[in-house]
């Protein structure tokens, strides 16, 4: 443990660039407008080189907060101890967050392999349903999902962000990387949210609520997988709010029995704080974009029509949400901030969770996450960044409880002995792309940590 660094994080640094950066940028643009074409090109090239050098010089090692039970596993993960140099042309947190959604696999060793999804529907305890999409890479025979039931290779169950779906680029990218690293042995499947890229059950047309109900759905899928593949260890990977739901699932007694380990990317975080930040403080319209994506997915899957046809108040509620998502509101976002996501949760989500206000719903989700952490009984790694443009440090610092161990250059996690937090100054929301070509550090760390967990069981 002496190899680790002191993990005390400076959570008050939310800006990627120094305060004087914008003044220097304005000065540079002013000079470019006054000089000739050749000089202008030289200045631009010099500026690009300066930014690249500054980004390289700003490389950092992740700062770690480790519980006593997981520290030996963390020591096996070389990715957590090397200097991380973010992609120079994607150093900004907003660019990193955008790459998370759209950037393809860039590792030459992996190459371009076709990726397809094989879907099955899982019926939950209340007769609702979610989709389970298996990521099949290259020439793999997808029939093994039904016939090779005795395989003992791990299965990674992944949970998307709050509006994510199985065909998002980050799942396909991770599936390619995992296939290459495990030589096709490890399997990966994506669980959907209700109504997102998956139609609602006619028997129970309940939309997604992203709270304890979602954690119960996760356990239902895990139960099905364990029954079908009794020899295969189950691992859990949660992205953004999917990480919050994953932690709630792992905290249950059954979750600790079903899953062997987990990785949470840009989580845990306080949903109330994140929504307040996105809808009041963040200049980039993440709140509008995410809510628009949510509504579009509900319409595309037929979930919106199902709700309107079966629930008396749903039509008026959907109209109010659509009115809030007019393009004029997006155009005036910088001047007028609006509660896009909170409008949806107020009109739909809280009616199914039984809360009397959207704030009480948010508080209940925070409470679920807060209560889950001390109950974790399997190795879990949480990846967090201080420049996160969606869930800033104010939303996650409260969950990192620690104390400095005497005689050790390390911070000991007191939230749970099974938890490890990796905190970087930069990385964006679910980003951490590094190198000139934009390799995914998250894919490497998650795979390495889960492999280390499996190896520790054999030792």
């Amino acid at each position: 443990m002496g190899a680790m660094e002191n993990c005390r994080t400076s959570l008050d640094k939310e800006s990627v660039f120094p305060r004087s950066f914008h003044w220097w940028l304005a000065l540079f643009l002013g000079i470019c407008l006054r000089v000739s074409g050749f000089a202008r090109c030289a200045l631009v090239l010099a500026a690009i080189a300066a930014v690249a050098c500054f980004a390289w010089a700003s490389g950092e090692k992740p700062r770690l907060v480790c519980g006593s039970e997981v520290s030996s596993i963390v020591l096996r993960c070389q990715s957590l101890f090397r200097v991380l140099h973010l992609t120079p042309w994607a150093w900004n947190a907003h660019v990193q967050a955008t790459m998370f959604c759209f950037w393809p696999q860039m590792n030459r060793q992996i190459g371009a392999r076709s990726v397809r999804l094989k879907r099955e529907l899982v019926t939950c305890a209340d007769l609702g349903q979610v989709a389970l999409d298996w990521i099949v890479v290259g020439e793999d025979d997808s029939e093994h999902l039904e016939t090779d039931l005795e395989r003992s290779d791990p299965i990674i169950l992944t949970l998307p962000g709050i509006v994510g779906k199985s065909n998002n680029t980050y799942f396909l990218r991770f599936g390619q990387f995992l296939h290459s690293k495990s030589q096709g042995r490890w399997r990966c499947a994506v669980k959907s949210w209700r109504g997102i890229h998956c139609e609602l059950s006619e028997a129970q047309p309940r939309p997604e609520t992203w709270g304890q109900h979602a954690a119960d759905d996760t356990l239902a899928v895990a139960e099905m997988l364990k029954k079908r593949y009794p020899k295969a260890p189950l691992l859990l990977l949660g992205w953004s709010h999917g990480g919050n739901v994953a932690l709630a699932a792992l905290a249950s007694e059954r979750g600790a029995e079903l899953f062997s380990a987990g990785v949470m990317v840009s989580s845990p975080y306080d949903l109330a704080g994140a929504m307040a930040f996105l809808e009041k403080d963040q200049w980039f319209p993440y709140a509008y974009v995410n809510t628009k994506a949510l509504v579009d997915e509900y319409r595309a899957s037929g979930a919106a029509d199902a709700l309107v046809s079966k629930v008396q108040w749903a039509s008026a509620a959907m109209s109010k949400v659509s009115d809030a998502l007019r393009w004029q509101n997006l155009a005036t976002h910088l001047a007028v901030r609006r509660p896009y996501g909170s409008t949806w949760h107020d009109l739909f989500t809280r009616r199914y969770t039984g809360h009397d206000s959207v704030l009480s719903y948010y508080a209940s989700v925070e409470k679920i996450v807060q209560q889950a952490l001390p109950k974790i009984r399997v190795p879990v790694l949480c990846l967090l960044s201080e420049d996160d443009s969606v869930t800033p440090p104010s939303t996650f610092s409260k969950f990192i409880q620690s104390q400095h161990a005497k005689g050790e250059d390390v911070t000991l996690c007191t939230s749970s002995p099974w938890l490890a937090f990796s905190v970087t100054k930069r990385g964006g929301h679910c980003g951490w792309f590094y190198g000139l070509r934009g390799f995914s550090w998250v894919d490497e760390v998650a795979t390495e940590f889960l492999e280390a967990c499996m190896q520790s069981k054999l030792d």
Side-chain angles (χ1 to χ4, degrees), residues 136-150:
V136 183
V137 181
E139 301 302 320
D140 277 3
D141 181 8
S142 61
E143 295 304 317
H144 76 269
L145 299 178
E146 287 80 20
T147 60
D148 201 356
L149 306 182
E150 296 300 312

Side-chain angles (χ1 to χ4, degrees), residues 246-305:
L247 287 169
L250 290 174
S252 67
E253 291 185 9
R254 188 55 181 146
E257 295 172 355
L258 289 168
F259 294 101
S260 299
V263 175
M264 311 303 148
V265 185
S266 292
S267 59
Y269 65 85
D270 171 15
L271 182 59
M275 294 301 294
F277 172 74
L278 292 174
E279 295 178 342
K280 296 178 181 179
D281 301 325
Q282 178 57 268
W283 67 268
F284 195 86
Y286 291 110
Y288 179 96
V289 172
N290 284 347
T291 308
K292 183 70 164 57
L294 172 64
V295 174
D296 288 346
E297 285 299 327
Y298 263 75
R299 287 173 175 161
S301 68
D305 291 337

Side-chain angles (χ1 to χ4, degrees), residues 296-359:
D296 288 346
E297 285 299 327
Y298 263 75
R299 287 173 175 161
S301 68
D305 291 337
L307 288 174
V308 169
S309 64
K310 294 181 177 294
V311 183
Q312 185 176 5
W313 48 263
S315 178
M318 192 65 71
S319 296
K320 290 182 180 179
V321 173
S322 298
D323 185 63
L325 293 173
R326 293 178 301 170
W327 69 267
Q328 293 93 332
N329 291 345
L330 175 61
T332 59
H333 173 75
L334 290 177
V336 182
R337 308 297 168 84
R338 297 176 177 86
Y340 302 109
S342 294
T343 298
W344 173 272
H345 292 309
D346 185 48
L347 295 174
F348 284 95
T349 308
R350 74 170 184 84
R351 296 201 181 196
Y352 286 89
T353 60
H355 294 94
D356 56 4
S357 70
V358 68
L359 292 179

Side-chain angles (χ1 to χ4, degrees), residues 110-121:
I110 295 174
R113 293 189 178 95
S114 62
V115 181
R116 62 187 185 278
L117 300 171
K118 185 175 179 63
R119 167 164 291 197
E120 58 181 307
L121 297 177

Side-chain angles (χ1 to χ4, degrees), residues 36-251:
S36 62
F38 177 79
R40 186 177 303 165
C41 291
L43 279 172
V44 170
L45 291 175
I48 293 174
V51 170
C53 291
F54 182 62
W56 183 263
S58 301
E60 61 172 323
K61 288 184 179 180
R63 291 159 291 170
L64 302 169
V65 180
C66 293
S68 57
E69 297 293 338
V70 77
S71 58
S72 61
I73 296 175
V74 169
L75 284 171
R76 298 171 183 244
C77 302
Q78 297 181 1
S79 300
L80 290 172
F81 293 94
R82 74 168 189 255
V83 177
L84 178 63
H85 298 280
L86 294 184
T87 301
W89 50 266
W91 201 51
N92 181 269
H94 297 294
V95 179
Q96 286 280 333
T98 302
M99 289 177 69
F100 153 63
C101 297
F102 301 109
W103 195 243
Q105 180 58 256
M106 299 301 291
N107 195 320
R108 285 179 179 174
Q109 296 178 346
I110 295 174
R113 293 189 178 95
S114 62
V115 181
R116 62 187 185 278
L117 300 171
K118 185 175 179 63
R119 167 164 291 197
E120 58 181 307
L121 297 177
V122 180
T123 301
C124 302
D126 64 349
L127 300 183
Q129 71 180 16
V130 294
L132 185 67
D133 290 322
W134 293 89
I135 300 177
V136 183
V137 181
E139 301 302 320
D140 277 3
D141 181 8
S142 61
E143 295 304 317
H144 76 269
L145 299 178
E146 287 80 20
T147 60
D148 201 356
L149 306 182
E150 296 300 312
R151 284 178 60 176
S152 59
D153 299 315
I155 297 173
I156 300 180
L157 178 62
T158 58
L159 304 184
I162 203 163
V163 295
K165 54 184 180 179
S166 59
N167 60 0
N168 286 151
T169 300
Y170 62 97
F171 285 126
L172 308 184
R173 182 177 61 236
F174 178 76
Q176 287 179 314
F177 185 85
L178 179 68
H179 180 272
S180 175
K181 295 295 289 184
S182 69
Q183 298 180 336
R185 294 183 298 105
W186 286 35
R187 293 161 287 179
C188 182
V190 183
K191 173 202 157 293
S192 77
W193 304 120
R194 297 192 183 199
I196 299 180
H197 201 52
C198 171
E199 62 184 22
L200 295 177
S201 167
E202 292 186 4
Q204 175 56 276
R206 176 191 173 100
E208 186 55 63
T209 53
W210 300 280
Q212 186 58 51
H213 214 275
D216 293 340
D217 287 351
T218 303
L219 293 174
V221 172
E223 292 274 12
M224 183 273 291
L225 290 174
K226 200 64 177 178
K227 185 176 296 185
R228 182 189 297 173
Y229 307 105
K231 296 182 179 180
L234 293 183
L235 307 170
L236 195 53
L237 173 59
W239 300 80
S240 190
H241 189 67
N244 284 341
V245 174
L247 287 169
L250 290 174

